């Protein structure tokens, strides 16, 4: 059963080593993420799953100990999913297959967990493809919630990348209303509103968080959680939200 969730944005710029001189611009977002992760810790879960958008190679489950890197962003920084328990986790699947690298969204999630010193419970990852239909996202969320008696989710994903003329997707007048609706749903823990987000519109507006948010909606069905919106800004023309559910 889902007992808590934290929703965070996933730009690599959230990592100060990647942002470098621009790091102060997302200081408030980092602080909000820390607060949201504190809500997860307070819920005392027995399993934490980090859910985030992923390309083809990063989709599907990632075990505790899986590794990611920010080398592709010009930074010599590696992360691992979950604490090092000294048990040889993350060294493959047990069949001799090489470990898959974490997709960037899960690498940012792993960095957030390392930054806050997470050691409360086992951590796994789930990379979700952007095309995944809403009903399949919801079903995946239900499956996650059934994994253990006390499941928590760290849900990574951004709003529209079309919020300004300098945004990655240029300005689209539909972007701000879409993000406002998503922010309301995240802040209110409105499961139905999240599950109803328009997948085609999200794709057009370059919303990376749609599928992960709808996985959260499925996991939270019947859980009766309340939500708080901790951050809602678009500093680079991309909607970044932080929310905590408990």
């Amino acid at each position: 059963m889902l007992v808590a969730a934290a929703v965070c944005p996933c730009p690599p710029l959230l990592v100060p080593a990647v942002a470098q001189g621009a790091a102060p611009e997302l200081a408030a977002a980092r602080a909000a993420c820390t607060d949201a992760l504190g809500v997860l810790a307070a819920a005392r879960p027995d399993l934490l799953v980090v859910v985030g958008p992923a390309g083809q190679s990063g989709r599907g489950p990632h075990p505790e100990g899986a590794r990611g890197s920010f080398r592709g962003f010009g930074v010599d920084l590696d992360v691992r999913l979950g604490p090092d328990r000294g048990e040889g986790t993350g060294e493959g699947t047990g069949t001799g297959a090489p470990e898959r690298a974490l997709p960037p969204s899960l690498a940012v999630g792993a960095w957030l967990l390392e930054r806050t010193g997470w050691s409360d419970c086992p951590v796994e990852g789930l990379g979700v493809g952007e095309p995944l239909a809403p009903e399949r996202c919801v079903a995946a969320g239900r499956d996650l919630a059934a994994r253990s008696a006390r499941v928590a989710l760290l849900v990574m994903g951004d709003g529209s990348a079309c919020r300004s003329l300098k945004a990655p997707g240029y300005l689209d007048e539909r972007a701000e209303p879409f993000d406002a609706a998503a922010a309301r749903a995240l802040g209110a823990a409105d499961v139905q509103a999240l599950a109803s987000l328009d997948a085609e519109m999200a794709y057009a507006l370059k919303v990376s968080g749609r599928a992960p948010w709808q996985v959260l909606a499925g996991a939270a069905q019947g859980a009766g959680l309340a939500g708080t919106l901790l951050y809602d800004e678009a500093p680079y023309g991309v909607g970044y939200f932080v929310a905590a559910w408990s």
Side-chain angles (χ1 to χ4, degrees):
M1 179 177 179
L2 187 71
V3 295
V7 177
C8 295
C10 61
L13 286 173
L14 201 63
V15 180
V18 176
Q20 297 186 2
E25 296 177 16
L26 288 180
R30 291 185 201 98
C33 290
T34 298
D35 291 343
L37 265 64
V39 172
L40 296 186
R44 303 183 66 180
D46 49 35
L47 173 65
L48 173 64
V49 182
V50 185
V51 181
Q56 187 70 44
S57 64
R59 295 174 190 172
H62 294 264
E64 183 172 56
R67 299 181 184 276
S69 171
F70 295 98
R71 296 172 191 267
F73 301 95
V75 176
D76 186 12
L77 176 64
D78 298 318
V79 292
R80 63 177 282 137
L81 191 61
D84 185 352
R85 301 181 187 278
E87 299 169 352
T89 58
E91 298 302 320
T93 63
T95 63
E99 176 191 306
R100 293 187 303 152
L102 295 172
S105 68
L106 298 191
V108 174
W111 177 81
L112 286 172
L113 292 172
E114 287 186 1
R115 179 174 182 260
T116 54
W118 182 274
S119 61
D120 298 71
C121 69
V123 181
E124 298 177 10
L126 178 65
V128 184
E130 186 280 331
L132 195 65
E135 59 271 18
R136 293 187 61 193
C137 293
V138 169
R142 285 197 296 263
D143 290 344
L144 288 180
R147 288 276 311 279
S148 187
R150 299 187 65 79
V151 176
L153 297 184
L154 172 54
V155 183
M156 311 299 295
D158 301 338
S160 174
C162 303
R163 291 279 297 273
S164 73
L165 292 174
K166 294 184 179 181
Y170 198 65
L171 176 65
D172 190 313
E173 293 180 353
R174 302 170 296 175
E176 188 168 352
F178 184 98
D179 277 1
R184 284 194 301 271
L186 292 170
D190 189 334
V191 171
Q192 185 56 48
L194 280 183
S196 300
L197 289 175
D198 188 315
E200 291 186 4
M201 180 69 75
Y203 177 78
L205 296 175
K206 303 183 183 301
V207 179
S208 72
R210 189 276 305 174
W213 298 337
Q214 290 183 325
V215 171
L216 169 60
Q221 286 181 343
L225 302 183
T228 303
L229 188 65
L230 302 173
Y231 183 86
D232 176 6
E233 300 290 343
Y236 302 111
V238 182
Y240 296 151
F241 313 122
V242 180
W245 294 18
S246 62

